[in-house]
Amino acid sequence: MEDHVEVTGTVFLLIGQHICWKCRSRQEVVALAAQELKLLDPIVEEEKSDKDLVILSEIEEMPQALASYIQDRHPRYAKRFSRTAELSYFANSCECGALLGDHYMHSEPGGAFFPESEEDAATIRIVVLPFEPPIYVKSSYHQGSVGSLILEHGTRFANTIG
Ligand SMILES: [Zn+2]
């Protein structure tokens, strides 16, 4: 699903590992997630529990300050055109230049942000970003058991350097 989303709760940066499809090297990749959000247009209040984590993907728009904050630490996270998604969004790239598309990390079991076990989820680092809601983004999102697994078993760090 794709929509304009208003993040109304804590916003997180997820840091995971992904093997590049092109050069087969292991790369650090990032994704944004939120604990609460509202869908705009039409306005829908999502019913949520504290354990829900909504993972944002194929982010077409986000506040410049937020993008800059992430890019200062993960400079290869930048807007690029994806042939798979047929749109430009904030995507991870490999050191070799290959686009590491969100689809494979978010929507395929075993992907960097689609852990299949508690052990997989524990390898994901969770960082609370110092941005006050509401934060407006245009993106797709995934909610459900994967988000809960990451929130419960991911490893929490105080900042993105950790
Ligand atoms: Zn590569």
Side-chain angles (χ1 to χ4, degrees), residues 20-25 27 94-98 100:
C20 174
W21 55 269
K22 196 170 182 185
C23 73
R24 311 305 300 172
S25 67
Q27 296 292 311
C94 178
E95 287 167 311
C96 78
L100 306 177

Side-chain angles (χ1 to χ4, degrees), residues 13 15 28 30 65-77 125 127-131 158-162:
L13 188 70
I15 306 171
E28 196 169 84
V30 298
L66 179 56
S68 299
Y69 184 90
I70 298 169
Q71 287 166 339
D72 279 352
R73 293 151 183 86
H74 300 275
R76 286 195 304 278
Y77 183 71
R125 286 185 278 157
V127 181
V128 174
L129 294 181
F131 287 86
N159 59 61
T160 56
I161 313 300

